[in-house]
């Protein structure tokens, strides 16, 4: 015999809800990405907007990517003319990443899109509720650190 589930039970299917939310947000992000800039590339532009000249590994860590992931992303972003890769003057084995003029323009468009999307995501919620959601999402990263179960 099936028991009737309450709405509260359905609301607590966190894995399902998180996965669906992530896929839907990703579709919106992909649809509004600045001309020819992928969501992943926009993420790299955001990192470099905060710290232009970051080391390749630092950018990867900021995006939660390992070396293979960040290397491929950087190569695609360099090919798109958004980022320039230069050898580190202090360590010839290391690479630093710099925004190009096109990358700076794409970053400004991406910032505007992200601000609009964040505003849409927060519609109907109080600041206190958003603080709880942000705290919960940050706690997921702490509970499941990078490298665990990879």
């Amino acid at each position: 015999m099936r028991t009737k589930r309450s709405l509260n039970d359905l609301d607590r299917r966190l894995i399902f809800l998180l996965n669906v939310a992530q896929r839907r947000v990703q579709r919106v992000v992909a649809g509004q990405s600045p001309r020819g800039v992928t969501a992943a590339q926009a993420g790299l532009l955001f990192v470099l907007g905060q710290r232009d000249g970051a080391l390749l590994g630092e950018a990867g860590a900021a995006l939660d990517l390992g070396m293979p992931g960040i290397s491929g992303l950087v190569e695609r972003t360099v090919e798109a003319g958004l980022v320039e890769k230069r050898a580190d003057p202090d360590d010839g084995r290391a690479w630093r990443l710099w925004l190009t003029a096109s990358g700076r323009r794409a970053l400004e468009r991406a910032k505007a899109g992200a601000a609009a999307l964040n505003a849409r995501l927060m519609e109907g919620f109080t600041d206190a509720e958003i603080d709880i959601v942000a705290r919960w999402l940050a706690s997921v990263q702490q509970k499941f650190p990078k490298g665990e179960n990879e």
Side-chain angles (χ1 to χ4, degrees), residues 55-57 85-96:
L55 288 165
L56 187 80
K85 188 168 85 169
R86 300 182 207 152
D88 184 305
D90 300 325
D91 181 353
R93 300 167 298 165
W95 293 96
R96 291 199 174 269

Side-chain angles (χ1 to χ4, degrees), residues 2 7 18 20 23 28 35-36 39 47 50 54 57 64 67 75 82 85 90 94 112-113 119 128 130 136-137 148-149:
R2 294 178 78 182
L7 182 57
L18 187 59
V20 170
R23 283 193 305 271
V28 171
R35 293 175 231 128
V47 169
Q50 293 287 310
D64 201 30
M67 282 311 277
E75 291 308 315
L82 303 170
K85 188 168 85 169
D90 300 325
I130 294 299
W136 182 79
L137 289 170
E148 186 177 289
N149 298 327

Side-chain angles (χ1 to χ4, degrees), residues 1-142:
M1 176 177 197
R2 294 178 78 182
T3 60
K4 190 173 181 180
R5 294 173 73 169
S6 71
L7 182 57
N8 214 13
D9 291 338
L10 295 176
D11 288 345
R12 291 182 177 260
R13 297 176 303 157
L14 299 180
I15 297 166
F16 171 76
L17 293 170
L18 187 59
N19 279 312
V20 170
Q22 188 271 339
R23 283 193 305 271
R24 290 186 184 192
V25 169
Q26 282 302 112
R27 279 194 293 262
V28 171
V29 168
Q32 75 178 26
S33 289
R35 293 175 231 128
V37 177
T38 68
Q41 289 172 330
L44 179 57
L45 299 179
F46 276 106
V47 169
L48 297 178
Q50 293 287 310
R51 185 158 182 227
D52 209 13
L55 288 165
L56 187 80
E58 293 170 340
L63 295 170
D64 201 30
L65 294 173
M67 282 311 277
I70 190 63
S71 295
L73 174 59
V74 165
E75 291 308 315
R76 291 186 301 277
T77 310
V78 166
E79 287 173 14
L82 303 170
V83 169
E84 189 176 293
K85 188 168 85 169
R86 300 182 207 152
D88 184 305
D90 300 325
D91 181 353
R93 300 167 298 165
W95 293 96
R96 291 199 174 269
L97 307 173
W98 302 89
L99 288 168
T100 64
S102 294
R104 289 183 194 290
R105 288 189 298 274
L107 172 59
E108 291 309 311
R109 291 189 303 270
K111 281 182 181 179
L117 181 54
N118 272 319
R120 186 173 172 191
L121 288 168
M122 292 188 282
E123 283 176 9
F125 294 92
T126 67
D127 285 344
E129 289 171 323
I130 294 299
D131 287 346
I132 291 169
V133 171
R135 184 171 66 86
W136 182 79
L137 289 170
S139 81
V140 171
Q141 294 175 48
Q142 293 166 351

